[in-house]
Amino acid sequence: MRHLKVLFYLAFVLFIHVNDAYRILCVFPFNGKSHFQMFEALCKGLAKRGHQIDMISHFPSKKSIANYTDIIDLTGVGEQVVNSFTVEYGRSIQQSLTYHMATGFGGALCHAMGIEKMQKFIKNPPNDPPYDLVITEYFGSPCYLGFGHLLKTPVAIAVSFLSIPYVDDFMGNPLSYSFFPGFFNEKPVVDTFYDRLQNFLLNYPEILKFHYYTSDQTDMMKKYLGLPHIPNVRELEKNVSLALVNSHHNFYGIRPLVNTVVDVGGLHVEKDQPKLSPELKSWLDSADHGLVYFTFGSMLNIETLPKETLLSLYASFAKISPVKVLMKCANTTKLPPSLPSNVITSPWIPQVAVLGHKNTRVFITHGGLMGTQEAIYHGVPMIGIPVFADQMKNVNILVHKKIAVLVPLENITEGSMDEALNAILHDRKYSESAKRASRIFRDRPLSAMDTASFWIEYVIRNGPDSLKSPAAILPWWKLNLIDVFAFLIACLILVLYVLVAVSRFLLKNLYNNNARTEKKLK
C-alpha cells in the first residue's frame, strides 16, 4: 500500500509538472557570443524546468539537452563578430553607438528573416502545441518583436546590459534622470545640477535617434513576415509583456522599476560552466604567488593593440613574476616576440572557472558587463581598459566602488601598468571591496534564474498584460503631467488676474470715495 501511495504522488507530481510546462520560442539574431551567454543560460535554464524550448541563434548547443531544440542555426548569416573586432574599430563604434546598434547590429539583422530556413518557419510555424511565449533580444532589431504578432503569443525581451533609455521608455519605466545615470552617461553617479543636465542630454536624445534609425524595420516585418497589416515597431514595443535586464542594484545603483522590468544580473554565472583542462588546472594550481587574468572578451582582439603598447604590457608583466599571467589571444602569430616566461596565452579560456580559482588575484578587462559580473561574483578586483559601448561606464562604476583601477587605452604604458598592478596586488582595499561586492551581489531572495523563470511563467499563466504599467501607453505629456501643470499654472494666473482686478477695482473705488469726501469737505 505504501508503494502505491509513493507511485501515486510521483504520478501526481509528474502530471503537475507536465501541465505547467510551456512551449517557448527563443529568437536571438545577433551573433555576439558575450550577449548569448545570458540568453543561453536563460533558455537552457527554462528547459531544465521542463519547458519546451525552440532556439533560433548563431550558437547551436554542442550537446543534446532535454526539452531544448536548435530549430534554426544562423551560423554564417551576417558578418562575423566573435574575435573579429580590432581595438581601433571598437573605438570608432563609440563615436555613434546608437547608429551602429540600430543599423549594423540592428536593421541588418532583420534581413536574416528572409533566408530560406527562416521563411520556411515563418510560413509554417509549428503549432502542436502552439507557442506560449516568444523571448528575443532587444538590442537593435525590434523587428523580431513581430514574431509575437505572427504566432499570436506574448513577447518577453532580454537585455544583456543595463536597460537602455528606449527600453525604459516603451516599458513605461521611470527614466529617473535626476539621480540615476543612464546607459549613455559614463559617470557612475549624478550629484550636481550639471550632472542632471548632462544626464538628460546624453540619454534622452538617443531615444529619438534610435526611433529614427529603426523606423524602416516596420517595412521589413511586413516584407519578411508576410503581414501587411502588422502594427509598426513602436506599437509592438508597447505590447512587450516582460523585460529581463542584465542588471543589479549593487552595480548600477538603486532606481524605481515597474513590474514588467526585472533585473536578473549575473544569470549566466549560475549556469553549468566549462571546466578547466587538466593542463590549465595544474598550471593555475601551481600559481602560489597569484594569477593575473587578461582578456578583452569574445569580440576584441588583444593582438590588435599597437606593438609599442603590447611591449609595454610585456615589460610590466615580467616585473610581477613569480605572479603568473594568463592572456586570451585569438591569434598569437600577431603578437610581438619575447613574451615573458610567466605569461601564457590561449585562444579560448573557461573564464568563470579561472575567475573562481583560488589563486586568481587580478582581472584585466575591457569592462564588458558579462566579465565584470563574473569577477564581482567571485570577488576578484580588476584593472579596466575600456574600449567602447558600456565599457567605460562599467569601469567607472568599479573605480567608484574601489573594486578596480582605470588605465585608459591611450595611456597604456609600462609605468601606468606597473602602477595599476602594484595597486591591485598590494593594496588590500581593492580585494576587500571586491569581496564585499560579491557578498551583496549573491545576497538575493531568489537566484537570477529562479527570478527570471517565475516572471516568465507568471506572464504566460496570467496573460500578456498582467504586469503592464499604464505608463507604457501614455504620451509623454500625460506621463510627465504637463497638462496638469499647465492647468495649475493657468489657474494660478487666473487667480492672480482676478486678485489684481479686484484689488484695482477696490483701490479705484476707495480713491473715488476719498475724492468725493474731500470734495464735500471743501
Side-chain angles (χ1 to χ4, degrees), residues 58-71:
H58 296 264
F59 306 98
S61 183
K62 295 180 180 179
K63 62 180 181 179
S64 178
I65 298 174
N67 305 317
Y68 184 96
T69 306
D70 290 292
I71 60 170

Side-chain angles (χ1 to χ4, degrees), residues 311-326:
L311 291 176
S312 296
L313 292 170
Y314 284 11
S316 187
F317 291 158
K319 291 178 183 177
I320 62 173
S321 182
V323 173
K324 295 183 175 182
V325 179
L326 175 62

Side-chain angles (χ1 to χ4, degrees), residues 264-279:
V264 291
L267 184 150
H268 72 289
V269 189
E270 300 168 354
K271 72 172 184 175
D272 295 334
Q273 299 288 347
K275 307 299 182 185
L276 296 168
S277 67
E279 296 79 14

Side-chain angles (χ1 to χ4, degrees), residues 1 43 47 86 94 198 208 229 312 380 398 456 502 506:
M1 180 62 105
C43 295
T86 65
Q94 187 64 17
Q198 184 184 48
L208 305 180
H229 302 296
S312 296
V380 180
L398 294 168
I456 284 172
V502 170
L506 293 175

Side-chain angles (χ1 to χ4, degrees), residues 178-450:
S178 60
F179 65 91
F180 185 80
F183 178 85
F184 293 95
N185 185 358
E186 295 177 353
K187 291 185 176 180
V189 294
V190 174
D191 285 331
T192 66
F193 167 78
Y194 177 75
D195 289 340
R196 296 193 298 275
L197 176 64
Q198 184 184 48
N199 197 35
F200 174 78
L201 294 177
L202 287 173
N203 284 282
Y204 186 76
E206 300 304 321
I207 299 175
L208 305 180
K209 289 181 187 177
F210 187 80
H211 287 177
Y212 174 76
Y213 290 130
T214 58
S215 60
D216 62 339
Q217 293 189 23
T218 299
D219 292 331
M220 295 185 194
M221 288 191 300
K222 292 178 179 179
K223 175 182 178 181
Y224 294 122
L225 295 177
L227 300 171
H229 302 296
I230 192 172
N232 64 52
V233 289
R234 303 287 85 89
E235 291 301 314
L236 291 180
E237 287 170 342
K238 293 182 182 298
N239 291 333
V240 171
S241 299
L242 182 68
L244 300 173
V245 181
N246 190 25
S247 181
H248 188 263
H249 65 269
N250 181 46
F251 189 76
Y252 282 123
I254 307 295
R255 64 169 182 153
L257 294 173
V258 294
N259 291 347
T260 46
V261 178
V262 180
D263 282 349
V264 291
L267 184 150
H268 72 289
V269 189
E270 300 168 354
K271 72 172 184 175
D272 295 334
Q273 299 288 347
K275 307 299 182 185
L276 296 168
S277 67
E279 296 79 14
L280 182 57
K281 184 178 185 305
S282 176
W283 190 77
L284 292 178
D285 289 343
S286 66
D288 298 326
H289 296 274
L291 171 81
V292 174
Y293 172 47
F294 181 22
T295 178
F296 272 176
S298 62
M299 294 184 185
L300 290 164
N301 292 326
I302 288 173
E303 60 270 29
T304 63
L305 287 167
K307 180 180 178 181
E308 296 75 16
T309 300
L310 289 168
L311 291 176
S312 296
L313 292 170
Y314 284 11
S316 187
F317 291 158
K319 291 178 183 177
I320 62 173
S321 182
V323 173
K324 295 183 175 182
V325 179
L326 175 62
M327 185 167 75
K328 177 186 173 292
C329 179
N331 187 352
T332 56
T333 62
K334 294 184 178 180
L335 288 174
S338 305
L339 194 70
S341 59
N342 63 325
V343 180
I344 66 168
T345 65
S346 176
W348 180 86
I349 294 170
Q351 183 160 290
V352 176
V354 170
L355 290 171
H357 194 277
K358 61 183 177 64
N359 290 335
T360 302
R361 297 176 60 189
V362 184
F363 180 34
I364 303 178
T365 172
H366 62 311
L369 186 54
M370 299 298 176
T372 55
Q373 285 180 342
E374 292 159 8
I376 289 172
Y377 186 89
H378 289 292
V380 180
M382 290 165 261
I383 295 173
I385 308 175
V387 180
F388 72 105
D390 60 339
Q391 296 163 13
M392 178 61 80
K393 180 182 186 67
N394 295 339
V395 172
N396 283 342
I397 290 171
L398 294 168
V399 172
H400 179 71
K401 293 179 176 293
K402 297 180 174 59
I403 300 172
V405 171
L406 167 66
V407 178
L409 188 64
E410 61 275 12
N411 292 341
I412 296 178
T413 63
E414 182 179 342
S416 64
M417 284 306 298
D418 287 349
E419 185 177 349
L421 285 166
N422 182 64
I424 299 295
L425 286 169
H426 303 295
D427 190 336
R428 292 184 60 186
K429 74 179 179 185
Y430 294 103
S431 60
E432 290 172 355
S433 296
K435 289 174 183 176
R436 181 177 182 274
S438 175
R439 288 195 301 272
I440 298 174
F441 192 63
R442 297 183 186 218
D443 190 2
R444 313 182 190 200
L446 291 173
S447 70
M449 186 65 232
D450 287 340

Side-chain angles (χ1 to χ4, degrees), residues 83-156:
N83 290 331
S84 65
F85 282 17
T86 65
V87 171
E88 196 58 39
Y89 176 63
R91 297 187 71 179
S92 69
I93 290 175
Q94 187 64 17
Q95 304 305 314
S96 50
L97 188 56
T98 295
Y99 169 78
H100 287 284
M101 287 172 64
T103 56
F105 305 143
L109 301 179
C110 295
H111 295 297
M113 291 190 288
I115 66 174
E116 183 179 354
K117 44 193 171 183
M118 286 285 271
Q119 281 296 301
K120 184 178 179 181
F121 173 88
I122 289 168
K123 292 174 181 177
N124 188 27
N127 56 13
D128 186 21
Y131 288 109
D132 297 292
L133 183 73
V134 172
I135 305 175
T136 187
E137 177 179 16
Y138 196 94
F139 184 46
S141 303
C143 56
Y144 283 89
L145 300 176
F147 274 80
H149 193 80
L150 173 74
L151 301 171
K152 297 179 174 58
T153 186
V155 176

Side-chain angles (χ1 to χ4, degrees), residues 161-180:
F161 35 71
L162 172 66
S163 182
I164 32 190
Y166 21 96
V167 171
D168 284 329
D169 181 55
F170 67 71
M171 296 302 290
N173 199 58
L175 295 168
S176 310
Y177 294 136
S178 60
F179 65 91
F180 185 80

